[in-house]
mmCIF file of all heavy atoms in Angstrom:
data_model
loop_
_atom_site.group_PDB
_atom_site.id
_atom_site.type_symbol
_atom_site.label_atom_id
_atom_site.label_comp_id
_atom_site.label_asym_id
_atom_site.label_seq_id
_atom_site.Cartn_x
_atom_site.Cartn_y
_atom_site.Cartn_z
ATOM 1 N N ILE B 97 17.402 29.050 -92.319
ATOM 2 C CA ILE B 97 18.603 29.505 -91.618
ATOM 3 C C ILE B 97 18.662 31.034 -91.582
ATOM 4 O O ILE B 97 19.000 31.638 -90.557
ATOM 5 C CB ILE B 97 19.859 28.916 -92.288
ATOM 6 C CG1 ILE B 97 19.872 27.392 -92.117
ATOM 7 C CG2 ILE B 97 21.122 29.526 -91.706
ATOM 8 C CD1 ILE B 97 20.968 26.692 -92.889
ATOM 9 N N TYR B 98 18.323 31.668 -92.690
ATOM 10 C CA TYR B 98 18.327 33.134 -92.751
ATOM 11 C C TYR B 98 17.354 33.727 -91.730
ATOM 12 O O TYR B 98 17.692 34.655 -90.977
ATOM 13 C CB TYR B 98 17.956 33.571 -94.167
ATOM 14 C CG TYR B 98 17.876 35.064 -94.355
ATOM 15 C CD1 TYR B 98 19.015 35.819 -94.541
ATOM 16 C CD2 TYR B 98 16.636 35.712 -94.344
ATOM 17 C CE1 TYR B 98 18.937 37.203 -94.718
ATOM 18 C CE2 TYR B 98 16.548 37.086 -94.519
ATOM 19 C CZ TYR B 98 17.702 37.819 -94.707
ATOM 20 O OH TYR B 98 17.611 39.180 -94.871
ATOM 21 N N VAL B 99 16.138 33.173 -91.687
ATOM 22 C CA VAL B 99 15.129 33.685 -90.754
ATOM 23 C C VAL B 99 15.527 33.399 -89.308
ATOM 24 O O VAL B 99 15.354 34.242 -88.415
ATOM 25 C CB VAL B 99 13.749 33.080 -91.081
ATOM 26 C CG1 VAL B 99 12.738 33.422 -89.987
ATOM 27 C CG2 VAL B 99 13.255 33.587 -92.428
ATOM 28 N N ALA B 100 16.084 32.208 -89.046
ATOM 29 C CA ALA B 100 16.432 31.821 -87.675
ATOM 30 C C ALA B 100 17.463 32.762 -87.077
ATOM 31 O O ALA B 100 17.353 33.174 -85.905
ATOM 32 C CB ALA B 100 16.941 30.383 -87.651
ATOM 33 N N PHE B 101 18.474 33.138 -87.842
ATOM 34 C CA PHE B 101 19.529 33.989 -87.297
ATOM 35 C C PHE B 101 19.110 35.463 -87.201
ATOM 36 O O PHE B 101 19.757 36.230 -86.497
ATOM 37 C CB PHE B 101 20.792 33.868 -88.153
ATOM 38 C CG PHE B 101 21.615 32.662 -87.809
ATOM 39 C CD1 PHE B 101 21.462 31.473 -88.510
ATOM 40 C CD2 PHE B 101 22.521 32.692 -86.769
ATOM 41 C CE1 PHE B 101 22.208 30.357 -88.197
ATOM 42 C CE2 PHE B 101 23.276 31.573 -86.444
ATOM 43 C CZ PHE B 101 23.120 30.397 -87.151
ATOM 44 N N ARG B 102 18.072 35.840 -87.885
ATOM 45 C CA ARG B 102 17.589 37.221 -87.793
ATOM 46 C C ARG B 102 16.444 37.373 -86.791
ATOM 47 O O ARG B 102 15.975 38.488 -86.560
ATOM 48 C CB ARG B 102 17.129 37.703 -89.168
ATOM 49 C CG ARG B 102 18.257 37.822 -90.169
ATOM 50 C CD ARG B 102 17.735 38.178 -91.546
ATOM 51 N NE ARG B 102 17.131 39.513 -91.591
ATOM 52 C CZ ARG B 102 17.812 40.633 -91.800
ATOM 53 N NH1 ARG B 102 19.131 40.582 -91.964
ATOM 54 N NH2 ARG B 102 17.192 41.787 -91.857
ATOM 55 N N ALA B 103 16.006 36.262 -86.186
ATOM 56 C CA ALA B 103 14.846 36.312 -85.296
ATOM 57 C C ALA B 103 15.193 36.763 -83.886
ATOM 58 O O ALA B 103 14.294 37.099 -83.110
ATOM 59 C CB ALA B 103 14.168 34.940 -85.240
ATOM 60 N N PHE B 104 16.483 36.815 -83.520
ATOM 61 C CA PHE B 104 16.857 37.100 -82.144
ATOM 62 C C PHE B 104 17.257 38.556 -81.925
ATOM 63 O O PHE B 104 17.694 38.917 -80.844
ATOM 64 C CB PHE B 104 18.004 36.181 -81.720
ATOM 65 C CG PHE B 104 17.567 34.758 -81.522
ATOM 66 C CD1 PHE B 104 17.500 33.880 -82.599
ATOM 67 C CD2 PHE B 104 17.182 34.299 -80.273
ATOM 68 C CE1 PHE B 104 17.086 32.575 -82.428
ATOM 69 C CE2 PHE B 104 16.764 33.000 -80.095
ATOM 70 C CZ PHE B 104 16.708 32.133 -81.176
ATOM 71 N N HIS B 105 17.122 39.394 -82.926
ATOM 72 C CA HIS B 105 17.382 40.823 -82.803
ATOM 73 C C HIS B 105 16.146 41.568 -83.288
ATOM 74 O O HIS B 105 15.649 41.301 -84.387
ATOM 75 C CB HIS B 105 18.611 41.235 -83.616
ATOM 76 C CG HIS B 105 19.859 40.514 -83.223
ATOM 77 N ND1 HIS B 105 20.740 40.986 -82.275
ATOM 78 C CD2 HIS B 105 20.368 39.329 -83.658
ATOM 79 C CE1 HIS B 105 21.738 40.143 -82.144
ATOM 80 N NE2 HIS B 105 21.540 39.130 -82.965
ATOM 81 N N LYS B 106 15.662 42.475 -82.489
ATOM 82 C CA LYS B 106 14.401 43.149 -82.814
ATOM 83 C C LYS B 106 14.493 43.895 -84.136
ATOM 84 O O LYS B 106 13.562 43.862 -84.940
ATOM 85 C CB LYS B 106 14.040 44.118 -81.685
ATOM 86 C CG LYS B 106 12.703 44.811 -81.909
ATOM 87 C CD LYS B 106 12.347 45.710 -80.736
ATOM 88 C CE LYS B 106 11.005 46.394 -80.956
ATOM 89 N NZ LYS B 106 10.641 47.283 -79.822
ATOM 90 N N GLU B 107 15.617 44.568 -84.368
ATOM 91 C CA GLU B 107 15.739 45.348 -85.600
ATOM 92 C C GLU B 107 15.684 44.458 -86.837
ATOM 93 O O GLU B 107 14.973 44.750 -87.809
ATOM 94 C CB GLU B 107 17.045 46.152 -85.582
ATOM 95 C CG GLU B 107 17.102 47.231 -84.510
ATOM 96 C CD GLU B 107 17.409 46.686 -83.132
ATOM 97 O OE1 GLU B 107 17.747 45.474 -83.040
ATOM 98 O OE2 GLU B 107 17.310 47.456 -82.151
ATOM 99 N N THR B 108 16.449 43.345 -86.828
ATOM 100 C CA THR B 108 16.459 42.454 -87.986
ATOM 101 C C THR B 108 15.181 41.632 -88.069
ATOM 102 O O THR B 108 14.718 41.296 -89.168
ATOM 103 C CB THR B 108 17.674 41.522 -87.906
ATOM 104 O OG1 THR B 108 17.641 40.794 -86.653
ATOM 105 C CG2 THR B 108 18.971 42.318 -87.972
ATOM 106 N N ARG B 109 14.593 41.298 -86.923
ATOM 107 C CA ARG B 109 13.357 40.513 -86.931
ATOM 108 C C ARG B 109 12.204 41.284 -87.573
ATOM 109 O O ARG B 109 11.366 40.699 -88.268
ATOM 110 C CB ARG B 109 12.994 40.122 -85.498
ATOM 111 C CG ARG B 109 11.740 39.259 -85.399
ATOM 112 C CD ARG B 109 11.503 38.786 -83.993
ATOM 113 N NE ARG B 109 11.222 39.868 -83.079
ATOM 114 C CZ ARG B 109 11.944 40.165 -82.011
ATOM 115 N NH1 ARG B 109 13.035 39.463 -81.755
ATOM 116 N NH2 ARG B 109 11.617 41.161 -81.218
ATOM 117 N N GLU B 110 12.162 42.589 -87.336
ATOM 118 C CA GLU B 110 11.079 43.398 -87.882
ATOM 119 C C GLU B 110 11.407 43.984 -89.254
ATOM 120 O O GLU B 110 10.608 44.760 -89.791
ATOM 121 C CB GLU B 110 10.762 44.535 -86.900
ATOM 122 C CG GLU B 110 10.229 44.030 -85.555
ATOM 123 C CD GLU B 110 9.942 45.164 -84.589
ATOM 124 O OE1 GLU B 110 10.309 46.319 -84.923
ATOM 125 O OE2 GLU B 110 9.360 44.900 -83.521
ATOM 126 N N ALA B 111 12.563 43.622 -89.805
ATOM 127 C CA ALA B 111 12.935 44.143 -91.118
ATOM 128 C C ALA B 111 12.053 43.528 -92.211
ATOM 129 O O ALA B 111 11.540 42.399 -92.078
ATOM 130 C CB ALA B 111 14.407 43.852 -91.404
ATOM 131 N N VAL B 112 11.887 44.266 -93.314
ATOM 132 C CA VAL B 112 11.045 43.796 -94.412
ATOM 133 C C VAL B 112 11.643 42.549 -95.048
ATOM 134 O O VAL B 112 10.917 41.623 -95.437
ATOM 135 C CB VAL B 112 10.891 44.925 -95.461
ATOM 136 C CG1 VAL B 112 10.089 44.432 -96.665
ATOM 137 C CG2 VAL B 112 10.215 46.138 -94.833
ATOM 138 N N SER B 113 12.971 42.481 -95.146
ATOM 139 C CA SER B 113 13.605 41.325 -95.784
ATOM 140 C C SER B 113 13.304 40.040 -95.018
ATOM 141 O O SER B 113 13.113 38.975 -95.623
ATOM 142 C CB SER B 113 15.117 41.544 -95.859
ATOM 143 O OG SER B 113 15.655 41.761 -94.553
ATOM 144 N N THR B 114 13.243 40.117 -93.690
ATOM 145 C CA THR B 114 12.922 38.923 -92.893
ATOM 146 C C THR B 114 11.484 38.480 -93.153
ATOM 147 O O THR B 114 11.215 37.277 -93.300
ATOM 148 C CB THR B 114 13.133 39.218 -91.407
ATOM 149 O OG1 THR B 114 14.461 39.684 -91.194
ATOM 150 C CG2 THR B 114 12.909 37.964 -90.571
#
Side-chain angles (χ1 to χ4, degrees):
I97 294 172
Y98 178 80
V99 171
F101 278 94
R102 294 175 66 86
F104 288 85
H105 302 269
K106 183 177 180 180
E107 294 78 9
T108 57
R109 182 174 65 240
E110 296 179 352
V112 176
S113 58
T114 305

